[in-house]
Every structure is written in C-alpha cells, then in structure tokens.
Amino acid sequence: MTVTLGREPITIEQFVAVARHGAQVEFDAAYVDRVRKSRALVERFLAENRLVYGVTTGFGDNVTEVIDPADAERLQRNIVRSHAVSVGEPLPVEVVRGIALMELVGLGEGFSGIRFETLELIRRMLNAGVTPHVPGEGSVGYLAPEAHMALVLLGEGRAWYGGELLPGAEALARIGEQPAQLACKEGLSLTNGTHSVTAIAVLAAHDADLAATTADIAASLSVQALKGTVRAYDARIQERKRHPEQAAVAENLRRLTGSSAISAEFIDHRLQDALSLRAVPQMHGGAKRALAQAREVIVEELHSVGDNPVIHPEGEDGVALSGANCDSTYVGIQADTMVNAMTVLAKVSERRTDRMVNSNFSELPAFLVRQQPGLNSGYMIAQYTAAALTMELRGLAVPASADNVTTSANQEDAVSNAYLAALKAYRATRKLAYVIAIELMCAAQALDLLAPLSLTGRGGAAGEDQGDRADRRRGPRLPHRHRAHRRTRAERGCVEGRRGCRGGAAPLRPGRRGRETCRHSQPPLRPRPATSQPRGV
C-alpha cells in the first residue's frame, strides 16, 4: 500500500497503515511545489536579515538574543543537540514512525519553510524502516522526543534498522543516505509543534474506536451467557433519549442477538437485569459519543499546521507570524476525554465478566469450571486481571491537560501537557483491549456451559470448531496459566484489529506452534519492524 501526501488530506486509516503496518509514503507535485515556495521565503528573510523568531533570534526566553545570519545553520544544529534530553524507555516503533509521518504531513503544508530535501530524507528513512531511538519521557508537549529523532538526520543519535540498534550515521549508510546539514529554521521546525502529540493521539483514537466496536460484541455475548433480557434494547426506549449513539448501540445489540436461541429462551427470565447488562446502550453510547468527538478534533489537528512561526505568503513576498500554533491543548483535552470514555467501557465490561464468573449471579458453575471445581480455578484470576486493569485505567483518567508547570524561564508559563495526555490515551487502549478480551474469553466459556442451547439454535454455532467448545467446557485444561495467557493475547489482538482482523470478536483457532489466533486474521499490509525493536510504552 502507498499513501500519497499532497492534494488530498490524509485519513486516520492511512496514517495507521504507515505508522503500524509499513505502508510506503510518496509526495505528489503539489506537495513538492508548496514546500519549495515556503522555503524560498525563509531564505529571503535570512538574506534580508529580517527579525524572525528561531531564524535570526534565539529560542524560548532567548528570543531577545539576535543571531548573526552567518550562524543560522549552527543555531539549528545546536537546538537539536541541546533539546535531545528526554529519558526513559524508548517509544514504540509505531509511535516514532507516526511522529515522523506527522512531520511530513504538518511541515509539508507549506507554511514552515523547511527544505524539501530534509523532508525527503525523512520519507526515505520511513519507507526503508530506519526508526530513531527516542526515549519516551520528558515532554510537556514537544521538543525533546522530536530532537532525538532529528539527531539521526544529522548522523547522530541512534536508530533501529533491520532489528539492530545502530549509530545514526551507520543506520543512514545502511540505506545509502548521507547525514543532512540543517539550514535556517529547520531545527526549530523539526523539534517544535504538535507532531508528537497528534501522532500518538491518532493511534489512540483509531484503537479506541476498534475497542468500542468490539465492546458491543462482547456485551451481546455476555448478555446471552447471563440469560439477560434483550427487552432493555427495545427501540421505543431508546427513542425517548436524543442520543444517536445510544440508539445505534441498542440496534447493534438487537442485531447481534436477533437470531439467538439463548436470547429467545430467556427473554422473560427476569423482569429487569443489572445495569451492566440493561444499560449497555446508555453506557457504551455515552463513551462512543466522547470518542467520536475526540476523533473529530484530532483529525482537525492532523490537517493543521502546528509550527511557530508560521511562514505566510503574501503576494510575491511573505511574513513570519509568531504565535502559538505549537500548543497542543486541543488534542490534550480530547486525549483526556478518550481515557475517560475508555475507562467507562472497561468498568462495565469488567462488571459483566465478574457476573459470569460469580455463581451467585451467573446461574453457572463457579468460575465457569464444570469439572473438578476447587482443583481447577477456571477463570477466577482472569477477572482479577480485568479488575486490576480497570483500576489502572481509573488512575490514567485523571486529566493531564489540566496540569501545569512553567518552563523556559516563564516564557512558557502555561503548557498543554498534551504529550502526557496522548501517551495515557495510547496506553489506555492496550489496557481496554485486554479487559474486553477477558470478557470475550469468559463469555465464550459461559455460552458453552449453556449447551445444548447456542447462539444459533441447539448444537454448535455455525463454523465453530467443536474441539474448541469441548476444550472450554472441560475446564481442567484451562487453569494452566500460559494457555489462558495465550488465549487472552489472541482475543486482545482481535479487539485491536491486529494482524488485519476485520471481524471484531470471533472464535479462536490454533496457530503456528500452538499459538491461538483469531479466525478473522489476515496478513498485515506489510511485515512489522523486527521484534527486537521496542513495542510498548
């Protein structure tokens, strides 16, 4: 797959295809033309010795220091070297690739004055799989992580290539490239702006949407496993609320349970169920509304210019406009909102899991073990894991964008803290995926215990491996920790849409070397980077 930057705005799906799946990036003629025109303006400003922030002045509180035009290139190298001070574990490969892509998108809008040759080098590195090693802690919204990435352009720092962590110059040499010499304003453009925050938030928004969709599927299975009544999803109830997401979730649940023999059998089993079953349209719908609004704002930022100053053309000339488009508050607030929404989905999912493993509520064997209870603990500790992850999500839900510590000698007296907000949202998607995966796993086991009733009638579900059903019913084979762990990981991959999964929740099948995979699994667009490279935050 190839994603072309230029006339058409990039979509979230295209962004993820490049960052996560290795799709190639190309530039069209419109992209190249606007970048070159913007660069010509910056060189004109320098030749005329105009006072431009970051071009002929210092940075931050050093804005009052005028820089000799002869030192313009040295100034750009210095900002990269001095700002590369983030610490901690490296950012995942897909995040660094996403930031690089965001630099191509934002700086390629033609209002930053960066040279086309510099963006072309970033593109070639991205396409060839050269990924800078970027310590992930130490940003209030920009600067330090981006500076570590820019170091590699200079032939400094370190980068991953072919599964090896190499010095920057060697990584470039492996793909036939030479280190760049940054020209005026380029160091500032590469370290400044909303690139890192937006890239992380785009990945989080994509994964949160997948998890929210799968949460409906998990809930539909749990409702059936717990003999819940689907009357709570009646369209007439939903019509009394003016929230379209609520109505959509209820319609989805009706569709997912419409042909179920279990739902038909137990439709009048109780007059009213617990809220974790009865209020799925309201709770899931509320979370989905928040995620949709967050996605809308993040897409707006994806298509924006987050640089400072902005190089604005005016006729045959132009002007450098100093402002604060580098601030990431818009994305920070929405990232915090996403975490809250994901925590809501997790808390209600965990409650459904608890009801399934708790024989006092489920009308099923304790911890979903049919044979030799006590000797076998079944899914007892799977619920512990879901509970722990839910509590971690509650901790992450404390808003980061409301916090503030001044920087740069009070020149930046209010900061967005959106980098932390975006990272929390990114981490939250992984935790939510596991919580929903555990619910799917428990629901599959619980439904098997209702045999001979099934989702499609009496007997096995269409296309289901009877060995899988027997495996779950028996119980004694499941307590082995690593077997349950593999199954949870495979379910999580389905929730996240990994390996090209298109079907949401689905039964699992044995994979290579005994690994279990989703039945919907398809090959990714391109092989992922080597497994020796960092994966998580």
Side-chain angles (χ1 to χ4, degrees), residues 331-347:
V331 177
I333 291 173
Q334 299 308 319
D336 283 334
T337 299
M338 284 196 294
V339 178
N340 282 321
M342 286 186 276
T343 303
V344 168
L345 293 174
K347 76 174 184 181

Side-chain angles (χ1 to χ4, degrees), residues 41-56:
L41 285 176
V42 170
E43 292 180 352
R44 179 173 183 170
F45 298 161
L46 184 65
E48 296 176 359
N49 200 19
R50 298 188 195 180
L51 191 64
V52 178
Y53 174 75
V55 176
T56 53

Side-chain angles (χ1 to χ4, degrees), residues 346 349-358 367-369 377-390 431 434-443 445 478-481 483-485 487-489 491:
S349 173
E350 183 278 326
R351 287 294 81 201
R352 291 190 294 262
T353 294
D354 179 72
R355 296 188 80 84
M356 285 187 282
V357 301
N358 188 335
F367 308 114
L368 306 177
V369 176
S377 297
Y379 291 84
M380 177 194 296
I381 308 304
Q383 184 269 331
Y384 276 53
T385 301
L389 290 168
T390 301
K431 297 180 189 299
Y434 274 124
V435 172
I436 297 173
I438 290 169
E439 181 184 1
L440 287 168
M441 186 170 64
C442 290
Q445 173 77 354
L478 291 174
H480 295 295
R481 178 174 176 272
R483 181 177 178 81
H485 177 61
R487 189 174 290 275
T488 305
R489 287 180 61 188
E491 295 277 11

Side-chain angles (χ1 to χ4, degrees), residues 63-325:
V63 64
T64 57
E65 302 294 330
V66 177
I67 306 299
D68 190 299
D71 291 326
E73 292 186 9
R74 182 181 176 190
L75 176 67
Q76 303 307 311
R77 291 195 301 273
N78 284 350
I79 188 177
V80 171
R81 289 169 176 166
S82 66
H83 286 36
V85 291
S86 58
V87 298
E89 292 299 312
L91 292 175
V93 167
E94 67 177 21
V95 168
V96 179
R97 288 178 57 82
I99 297 171
L101 176 59
M102 192 61 225
E103 290 177 342
L104 295 180
V105 172
L107 300 178
E109 287 292 324
F111 296 95
S112 295
I114 194 168
R115 291 179 305 154
F116 172 73
E117 291 76 11
T118 302
L119 296 178
E120 175 66 5
L121 178 56
I122 296 173
R123 185 190 70 85
R124 290 178 181 175
M125 289 171 56
L126 193 60
N127 286 347
V130 173
T131 306
H133 179 276
V134 182
E137 300 174 29
S139 173
V140 298
Y142 40 58
L143 302 179
E146 292 90 338
H148 280 276
M149 296 177 64
L151 278 178
V152 179
L153 298 177
L154 299 176
E156 302 175 16
R158 295 184 294 170
W160 294 97
Y161 178 70
E164 296 182 73
L165 184 58
L166 305 169
E170 184 175 348
L172 290 176
R174 293 278 186 97
I175 63 170
E177 299 292 341
Q178 296 293 322
Q181 295 292 325
L182 297 183
C184 63
K185 197 180 181 293
E186 292 193 305
L188 177 61
S189 292
L190 290 168
T191 56
N192 193 30
T194 62
H195 305 135
S196 61
V197 170
T198 305
I200 299 168
V202 167
L203 292 170
H206 174 270
D207 293 350
D209 281 353
L210 282 175
T213 298
T214 311
D216 285 359
I217 299 170
S220 74
L221 296 175
S222 298
V223 166
Q224 294 172 82
L226 291 166
K227 305 175 183 177
T229 177
V230 295
R231 296 193 192 278
Y233 313 139
D234 191 302
R236 293 168 294 181
I237 299 173
Q238 320 312 320
E239 288 171 359
R240 303 284 66 80
K241 284 271 193 160
R242 303 304 183 193
H243 306 309
E245 296 83 6
Q246 175 181 327
V249 171
E251 182 182 7
N252 199 23
L253 292 170
R254 293 195 302 271
R255 180 179 60 82
L256 290 167
T257 59
S259 61
S260 169
I262 295 175
S263 290
E265 179 80 13
F266 296 109
I267 192 167
D268 293 317
H269 188 63
R270 301 183 194 91
L271 177 62
Q272 181 170 282
D273 291 307
L275 282 172
S276 59
L277 307 180
R278 175 166 39 111
V280 173
Q282 291 80 3
M283 293 184 177
H284 284 204
K288 288 185 174 186
R289 165 70 70 86
L291 292 175
Q293 291 176 335
R295 181 184 177 111
E296 180 180 352
V297 174
I298 290 165
V299 169
E300 288 174 353
E301 189 67 38
L302 175 60
H303 299 153
S304 298
V305 175
D307 201 1
N308 180 55
V310 170
I311 308 302
H312 199 279
E314 293 183 349
E316 296 300 318
D317 198 356
V319 61
L321 302 172
S322 289
N325 275 6

